[in-house]
Amino acid sequence: KIVSCLEKRVDLDGSVLIPAYPGLYGYFLSLAFDILSTDDKNIGDIDSESSVSFDVHGIQVLFCCFDRYCNYEKYGYDVNATSVESWSSLRHQITQHDMRTALGKGLMRAFVAQNANIGTQKSSSIVAKGSCADSSVNLDQLLGPSMQ
């Protein structure tokens, strides 16, 4: 998973781990761009979180990495580098604007999928509650004549 390589984790001893070297963010972001673009082309009915490639948390991680990628000098990850050439860059066909647009559309799809999943859970719980209520009404109707 791309997100697993890019997100920060806290180890048991409290140290922060980032599996991927920040200099490789361009490669990971280019791959994420391809996946998000494919999702955008194959858009249909989004009925669950399984119909999108990245969930809301995954898109948030990609946004954070893209921010670090765009501001590499500010974060100062590569102390030996004097230029952006030491960092992997996005493919030359992908502009920062294109990447932001893909991430924004991906976030939109992730929210829609998450909301569809929540709506499905609510409707199934309503059906379950309704069936219990119906059975209690039926029980009252069945026991009513014998109690008189």
Side-chain angles (χ1 to χ4, degrees), residues 6-97:
L6 295 174
E7 72 181 326
K8 293 181 181 180
R9 294 189 196 109
V10 178
D11 200 10
L12 295 175
D13 64 355
S15 58
V16 177
L17 304 171
I18 303 173
Y21 173 68
L24 299 175
Y25 283 177
Y27 294 128
F28 284 113
L29 290 169
S30 294
L31 182 59
F33 178 83
D34 292 339
I35 293 169
L36 290 167
S37 296
T38 302
D39 278 358
D40 196 31
K41 290 176 188 171
N42 297 334
I43 191 86
D45 288 338
I46 300 175
D47 54 0
S48 69
E49 289 187 51
S50 63
S51 60
V52 293
S53 298
F54 296 102
D55 61 357
V56 174
H57 173 73
I59 294 289
Q60 288 172 340
V61 170
L62 291 172
F63 264 119
C64 288
C65 291
F66 185 62
D67 178 57
R68 282 186 237 132
Y69 172 81
C70 291
N71 297 302
Y72 78 99
E73 292 173 339
K74 176 181 169 184
Y75 293 108
Y77 282 120
D78 197 356
V79 294
N80 297 324
T82 56
S83 67
V84 75
E85 283 81 27
S86 66
W87 278 55
S88 64
S89 59
L90 293 171
R91 281 196 319 273
H92 66 278
Q93 304 99 328
I94 304 171
T95 64
Q96 288 186 1
H97 178 267

Side-chain angles (χ1 to χ4, degrees), residues 2 8 12 20 22 29 32 37 40 48 54 59 73 80 97 100 104 111 117 120-121 124 136 139 141 143 147:
I2 295 173
K8 293 181 181 180
L12 295 175
L29 290 169
S37 296
D40 196 31
S48 69
F54 296 102
I59 294 289
E73 292 173 339
N80 297 324
H97 178 267
R100 283 188 189 97
F111 276 132
N117 193 21
T120 303
Q121 290 174 355
S124 64
S136 65
L139 185 63
Q141 288 174 349
L143 294 177
M147 297 176 127

